[in-house]
Amino acid sequence: MPERDSLLAGVRRVLVVHAHPDDEVLAGGALLRELHDRGVRVALVTCSRGEAGEIVDGVLPDRTSEAELAEVREREVRGSVEALGIAAHYWLGTPPARAASSVADAIAGPDAEAGEDADAIAGADAGTAIGADTGTKANADVNVHGLAGAGTSAYVRADAFAEATAFTDARIYRDSGMQWVRPGVAGPADSSDARSFTAAPLAEVVADLAAVVAVERPEVIVSYDDAGGYGHPDHLRAREATLAVARASGIRFAELIDDPSLPDTEWFDLEHQRAAVLEALRSHRTQLTVDADGRQLTHSGGQRQHVETDIGLRIVT
């Protein structure tokens, strides 16, 4: 793996988009390590810090605040990233995973005239600044107007996104939370927060993801299936935004599949990556506890789960 006829054959750069810390290992972590071992550059985007997650009893003080939990989860994901061989990790909303305001406005602004939009994003000759105040160059790569569904062909390239001076202030997308609606299936939480990932304008999320795509230049982007794995609202939003970016930029989008019988699924048997998966899982001490034999784990909410190493991918676009 990947074999010559694999959907990953010849791929050298992959971008994976997940909603929270620990999703990178719970949903396909063995595949990320396998790609690393095969010489593929794997980059990860995490959309929120998982502030709304429950905490394993006794791991942190009882009065741990959301901000303190976010800091701990940032540290935890660093251990997982190292164990899985992930080459680059981005927090969505933090440069360079943060779009220039002119880009976000262009994606969200259907009332702007096409010519004005193009000038604001790439400059009239595609070699001038993105907007008058950024001072960074734009060279064609990511079709921002495609993200908005407009018919123009202005583009933004990686170098424009790579300099922090081209970005608006960083934004932290807060974990939207969830509740169980039936066994194994999540739904939206009872309460909402204007800072949450699902409350953010889709155009803003898409623009921030496009900024990462411009930097990383992946050949394949991987994220959740259309059910968001188990239905968490943040998973669904992550898939929605990632699929929009992939379609707009002409990059293949592969969804994670946990059923090998589904049509058009390429299945990866990765039991040999169990040690790396266990190391990554055990870095997420606030969220789960792995059994001594490494075969099962217990989530902070008490749910039991097998430690999975096999995973499927299916090309959507």
Side-chain angles (χ1 to χ4, degrees):
M1 189 242 101
E3 299 174 355
R4 186 172 59 182
D5 59 349
S6 167
L7 63 86
L8 295 173
V11 170
R12 308 306 298 169
R13 303 175 73 89
V14 172
L15 179 66
V16 184
V17 180
H18 278 297
H20 315 107
D22 77 11
D23 290 333
E24 78 286 339
V25 58
L26 289 168
L31 179 60
L32 305 190
R33 181 68 206 196
E34 179 73 11
L35 290 172
H36 165 79
D37 289 351
R38 297 280 179 159
V40 178
R41 176 181 171 86
V42 178
L44 168 68
V45 175
T46 307
C47 298
S48 84
R49 271 74 172 174
E51 304 94 327
E54 297 177 272
I55 304 173
V56 172
D57 287 344
V59 173
L60 295 177
D62 290 341
R63 295 185 179 182
T64 298
S65 67
E66 281 196 1
E68 291 168 333
L69 176 58
E71 290 180 3
V72 172
R73 298 203 70 180
E74 287 180 2
R75 294 195 296 270
E76 289 179 337
V77 81
R78 287 198 290 269
S80 181
V81 161
E82 182 175 356
L84 298 177
I86 294 168
H89 178 234
Y90 302 90
W91 292 106
L92 193 68
T94 300
R98 182 64 169 160
S101 57
S102 56
V103 175
D105 290 346
I107 293 174
D111 294 332
E113 294 183 10
E116 293 174 350
D117 249 358
D119 290 348
I121 294 180
D125 62 358
T128 54
I130 300 180
D133 59 347
T134 63
T136 56
K137 293 182 179 179
N139 301 308
D141 210 54
V142 176
N143 186 342
V144 175
H145 287 286
L147 301 176
T152 63
S153 59
Y155 294 86
V156 177
R157 188 175 167 99
D159 357 358
F161 286 110
E163 298 182 27
T165 54
F167 295 87
T168 58
D169 291 340
R171 169 171 183 158
I172 293 179
Y173 293 102
R174 183 186 178 277
D175 184 347
S176 304
M178 53 147 276
Q179 62 180 329
W180 295 108
V181 295
R182 61 180 185 272
V185 179
D190 283 332
S191 60
S192 60
D193 188 312
R195 302 166 297 168
S196 70
F197 184 47
T198 54
L202 181 60
E204 183 176 1
V205 176
V206 168
D208 286 351
L209 279 173
V212 183
V213 168
V215 171
E216 283 293 329
R217 304 171 186 268
E219 296 156 272
V220 177
I221 306 177
V222 177
S223 193
Y224 307 101
D225 63 7
D226 59 5
Y230 60 90
H232 194 297
D234 287 339
H235 291 202
L236 294 168
R237 174 50 65 95
R239 177 204 164 85
E240 181 183 21
T242 306
L243 182 56
V245 171
R247 284 177 168 159
S249 55
I251 299 170
R252 287 185 298 164
F253 174 86
E255 59 184 359
L256 293 159
I257 301 293
D258 60 9
D259 182 352
S261 69
L262 292 179
D264 303 318
T265 295
E266 180 172 356
W267 194 251
F268 302 93
D269 183 350
L270 300 170
E271 175 61 28
H272 59 283
Q273 297 293 0
R274 181 170 294 274
V277 168
L278 292 176
E279 183 181 352
L281 285 170
R282 287 176 172 136
S283 74
H284 292 290
R285 295 176 58 250
T286 65
Q287 299 304 299
L288 54 88
T289 304
V290 181
D291 289 2
D293 64 3
R295 293 293 164 182
Q296 289 191 307
L297 61 84
T298 305
H299 290 275
S300 54
Q303 303 90 345
R304 295 282 287 167
Q305 177 185 329
H306 290 287
V307 174
E308 303 291 351
T309 56
D310 299 350
I311 193 70
L313 288 179
R314 181 167 59 185
I315 293 294
V316 175
T317 185

